[in-house]
Amino acid sequence: MKFFVDSADVDAIAELNDTGLVDGVTTNPSLIMKSGRDIIEVTKEICDMVDGPVSAEVVAMEADAMLAEGRKLAEIADNICIKLPLTLEGLKACKVLSSEGFKTNVTLCFSANQALLAAKAGATYISPFIGRLDDINIDGMDLIGDIRTIYDNYDFDTQILAASIRSANHMKDAALIGADVATAPPNVIKAMANHVLTDKGLEGFMKDWAKTGQKIL
Ligand code: E4P
């Protein structure tokens, strides 16, 4: 499973990118607002830093305007992935941009039918929002499972990008169910490395090592 960082915070992305475990980045208008930065400038900085796809979202509501915004965002760098909302207008724009060879990410997906349409529109990625479904007592992970089945039934190339991830458990469950990619906030990706028994074990090893008086280097 690929890991994308769901953030427009350049420092946080850089810290994780240094681990070599980051495959891409996703942003959205709220994350751009949170960064306090200009969308073009901050997206360019992220694209220069990360090798994989960087999703940048259009904000227009009509397909023609989405096309214009998407093409402008794509000029930022070769690794831009144009993020479009899952509306009929967004799907229409997705179909055109995907046919022109742009990478596309259809976002705000909350149903299997929406995901089916995005695949037919040639989306590179579909972003089902797990956490926001869980928030209204609908199991977000069930949606990932349904999309996996549908995409596998028809050999769709669209990759399932599990989004709105809120916990390390979401990451594990998305991996178990077969999501191709998961995008998560930096703190969630870091939390995946934590285990109380790792900390305890390491503490014990370090204490015993100190008693040996040895050095490796
Ligand atoms: C994905 O592309 C979105 O940017 C993101 O995952 C939304 O997450 P949220 O529901 O925590 O805002």
Side-chain angles (χ1 to χ4, degrees), residues 5 12 20 31 71 100 113 117 123 132 146 165 186 197:
V5 187
L31 292 170
R71 289 181 183 125
E100 289 175 0
N113 275 332
L117 289 173
R132 294 192 194 191
D146 286 348
I165 294 235
L197 291 180

Side-chain angles (χ1 to χ4, degrees), residues 6-7 26-28 30-31 55 57 83 105 107-108 127-132 135 161-166 183-185:
D6 197 27
S7 176
T26 51
T27 65
N28 64 38
S30 301
L31 292 170
S55 288
E57 190 161 341
K83 209 173 181 190
N105 175 359
T107 190
L108 289 166
S127 290
F129 276 35
I130 297 171
R132 294 192 194 191
D135 288 345
L161 200 178
S164 188
I165 294 235
R166 304 275 169 77
T183 188

Side-chain angles (χ1 to χ4, degrees), residues 171-201:
M171 295 294 274
K172 178 199 71 177
D173 291 340
L176 278 171
I177 219 153
D180 300 290
V181 192
T183 188
N187 63 319
V188 171
I189 295 178
K190 286 202 244 173
M192 291 171 74
N194 297 340
H195 200 289
V196 65
L197 291 180
T198 305
D199 296 342
K200 198 176 162 196

Side-chain angles (χ1 to χ4, degrees), residues 80-113:
I80 281 286
C81 178
I82 304 165
K83 209 173 181 190
L84 303 142
L86 212 157
T87 58
L88 279 178
E89 291 296 302
L91 291 168
K92 196 171 154 187
C94 176
K95 179 78 182 166
V96 174
L97 292 168
S98 298
S99 311
E100 289 175 0
F102 292 105
K103 288 182 280 295
T104 50
N105 175 359
V106 177
T107 190
L108 289 166
C109 170
F110 294 96
S111 78
N113 275 332

